[in-house]
Amino acid sequence: MRPFAYDRAETTALAARHPTAQGQTDAKVQFLAGGTTLLDLMKLDVLRPERVVDITPLKARHSGIEVGPDGLRLGGLAAMAAVADHPAVKRDYPAIAEALQLAASPQLRNMATLGGNVLQRTRCPYYRDPSWAACNKRTPGSGCAAIGGFNRQHAVLGVSERCIAQYPGDFAVALAALDAEVELVGPGGARRISILDLHTGSDRPHIEHSLRPGEVIVGFRVPAAPWARRSTYLKIRDRQSYEFAIASAAVALDLDGGVVRHARIGLGGMAYKPWRAKAAEAALVGKPLTEDTATAAARLALEGAVGHGHNDYKVELGRRTVVRALLAASATEV
Amino acid sequence: MDRTQPEGPSRRHVIGAAAGIAAVPAVGSAAETGRAAQSDASGKVDMTLTVNGQARRAMLDVRTSLLDALREHLDLTGSKKGCDQGQCGACTVHVDGERVLSCLILAVSVQGRRITTIEGLAEAGGRLHPMQQAFIDQDGFQCGYCTPGQILSAIACVNEGHAGSDDEIREYMSGNLCRCAAYPKIVAAIKQARPQMAVSPGTPAKVGQV
Ligand SMILES: Cc1cc2nc3c(=O)[nH]c(=O)nc-3n(C[C@H](O)[C@H](O)[C@H](O)COP(=O)(O)OP(=O)(O)OC[C@H]3O[C@@H](n4cnc5c(N)ncnc54)[C@H](O)[C@@H]3O)c2cc1C
Ligand code: SF4
Ligand code: FES
Ligand code: FES
């Protein structure tokens, strides 16, 4: 690990005192929250900040969990474990609680924060190993070792010829399905953005997210909605626990009898960034939720998917994941 | 949101000396620059860690992980390094009663927090923590390399209330890998220790609880 200066920021204003863009692999300043992405990638010499600003003192103000009539508000520095175990989150926003509970391990969930979680980096093995020269995410213009390389875990949605990395997180997928917003505070003041606008696209893979220099994620808002209770997160992986998704779906349904009034579908494990399948949602509205309608929706959800050889299986696996998640959500007692 | 209002001026500048490191451009391989900083007194930080109830002071490079601080500098080699990447759980310790991975924590960042390692579980007279005894009774290991991490994790698993059934134990112990595959015996050990931990609140059986 390279040398760095270590600071502790007691306030968001002080966190923003070094307003260097943080979203790039070569960013000179990084916030340290749980450290489970940052220190890992610093040891691997992928991230090389010259200054590490420890923002854990912000937990005192920004780790609340509030369930109210308008929706759910989660502090940006809340621990994954605290939210996963919260009774009201489990009851009213099960997809959120499940996505967190199925992620990583109990130790990591105690350490990791929600803000750090949504900003975790891809697990692409070529990105994580700088001895591979070709990686547009690490070194713009260098190429992509995964295209033509070993790409079994890589994405099929939202990819480009520049980068086919998979967004590995679970929580952001549930947030995407439930129309969540991210609350930011930075040198320019406070603002809110849709979770779908937080992560940037594969056309510029060396830029990870749209945070402005010095901005801190202080919270997440999930609006109250009739579909939130009938929501679930289905995670498919190579082993039953302590593993990243190869495909996942967060779905939420508002049913009138057996007929779909509203549907929300987020996809993970197979997309470049947290993904929302709006065409599939629209196709379900006004129809009974059956295996046939779910299958038709799943086909739309994976439309435009591009495989690169080893990951071709994800197109069909992705469809089946969507079907299973939809059927599971429709069968839930609410 | 009023949460977003300024929160006051205080700022602890923890590492005055280490800021000097940042002035050195980060060039060369990690090994080169790493060695330079190690031998440079200005790259070290005077840290105090509270481990197993004792304040331990050391001059350590700011990059030192909690795991390396324990093993290499405080002579507490019970916590093991399996992967150094958060993937195996061998380095599990408790910080303020919660199980965490010491390989992915900067030592400098947990000053003032209560750190518990495998060395801190037995009573002063040598009587083992019920979880340690249960691992022996149930033969919960073969080579023993993963065991300190398994035991710290297992104690937290019970204290969190995540040891209700065999399946729940397996799920909530999945962050601790065992190459010898002692898994069935580990589940048995946790079931043995669980009631013993519950009946004696406040005793060392509760080590690790917040
Ligand atoms: C072995 C292993 C298995 C894992 N399995 C899973 C899994 O199955 N599913 C899953 O979802 N995740 C998984 N993870 C990833 C893990 O959940 C993330 O590493 C973690 O959530 C990151 O949070 P953190 O607080 O530790 O972030 P940090 O490492 O502290 O920070 C990560 C990044 O976010 C920035 N940052 C952090 N907080 C803020 C903030 N409030 N505002 C602005 N920027 C911020 C930092 O500057 C840094 O760039 C796994 C990790 C490991 C090591
Ligand atoms: S998929 Fe993206 S992260 Fe992986 S090697 Fe290609 S450019 Fe790099
Ligand atoms: S050594 Fe820390 S998890 Fe493996
Ligand atoms: S006892 Fe050998 S690794 Fe677990």
Side-chain angles (χ1 to χ4, degrees), chain A residues 147 154-167 201-203 270-273 275 304-308 311:
Chain A
I147 296 176
H154 287 71
V156 295
L157 289 167
V159 297
S160 73
E161 287 308 304
R162 299 211 174 123
C163 182
I164 59 170
Q166 171 222 48
Y167 176 75
S202 58
D203 48 332
M270 51 186 137
Y272 181 80
K273 51 182 251 175
W275 202 256
V306 183
H308 280 83
N311 67 350

Side-chain angles (χ1 to χ4, degrees), chain B residues 27-104:
Chain B
V27 291
S29 75
E32 280 163 17
T33 49
R35 203 143 290 149
Q38 293 287 352
S39 59
D40 178 356
S42 76
K44 300 213 172 177
V45 182
D46 187 356
M47 298 183 203
T48 304
L49 297 172
T50 309
V51 187
N52 302 327
Q54 278 187 302
R56 303 283 305 266
R57 202 169 156 187
M59 288 290 286
L60 302 180
D61 189 291
V62 69
R63 291 167 290 180
T64 312
S65 69
L66 175 58
L67 178 61
D68 285 343
L70 294 168
R71 288 183 53 83
E72 309 294 335
H73 302 281
L74 302 180
D75 295 325
L76 293 168
T77 53
S79 308
K80 300 295 184 240
K81 186 183 283 191
C83 65
D84 213 23
Q85 294 190 324
Q87 299 181 3
C88 74
C91 65
T92 302
V93 300
H94 292 185
V95 172
D96 290 341
E98 291 193 333
R99 49 176 157 166
V100 294
L101 301 175
S102 59
C103 71
L104 289 184

Side-chain angles (χ1 to χ4, degrees), chain B:
Chain B
M1 277 295 307
D2 50 5
R3 282 165 196 288
T4 62
Q5 295 308 304
E7 297 131 297
S10 76
R11 176 194 222 204
R12 216 150 39 105
H13 206 86
V14 177
I15 317 297
I21 303 173
V24 180
V27 291
S29 75
E32 280 163 17
T33 49
R35 203 143 290 149
Q38 293 287 352
S39 59
D40 178 356
S42 76
K44 300 213 172 177
V45 182
D46 187 356
M47 298 183 203
T48 304
L49 297 172
T50 309
V51 187
N52 302 327
Q54 278 187 302
R56 303 283 305 266
R57 202 169 156 187
M59 288 290 286
L60 302 180
D61 189 291
V62 69
R63 291 167 290 180
T64 312
S65 69
L66 175 58
L67 178 61
D68 285 343
L70 294 168
R71 288 183 53 83
E72 309 294 335
H73 302 281
L74 302 180
D75 295 325
L76 293 168
T77 53
S79 308
K80 300 295 184 240
K81 186 183 283 191
C83 65
D84 213 23
Q85 294 190 324
Q87 299 181 3
C88 74
C91 65
T92 302
V93 300
H94 292 185
V95 172
D96 290 341
E98 291 193 333
R99 49 176 157 166
V100 294
L101 301 175
S102 59
C103 71
L104 289 184
I105 294 175
L106 289 179
V108 67
S109 71
V110 285
Q111 297 181 90
R113 316 268 307 269
R114 200 159 43 83
I115 299 156
T116 306
T117 69
I118 190 76
E119 289 91 344
L121 293 181
E123 288 173 31
R127 190 164 151 251
L128 295 179
H129 185 285
M131 192 64 79
Q132 291 175 299
Q133 190 59 52
F135 267 69
I136 295 171
D137 295 347
Q138 298 294 340
D139 220 1
F141 48 83
Q142 287 185 40
C143 77
Y145 197 79
C146 70
T147 311
Q150 298 281 2
I151 289 174
L152 270 296
S153 198
I155 292 170
C157 182
V158 171
N159 285 341
E160 290 162 8
H162 287 143
S165 65
D166 287 15
D167 277 349
E168 195 183 19
I169 291 170
R170 279 192 275 270
E171 170 61 26
Y172 281 87
M173 288 298 291
S174 69
N176 292 82
L177 305 188
C178 176
R179 285 281 49 163
C180 303
Y183 298 115
K185 313 263 184 175
I186 292 170
V187 174
I190 293 173
K191 282 166 37 182
Q192 174 182 321
R194 186 179 57 197
Q196 297 162 2
M197 287 173 63
V199 293
S200 47
T203 69
K206 283 292 209 185
V207 162
Q209 191 153 56
V210 190

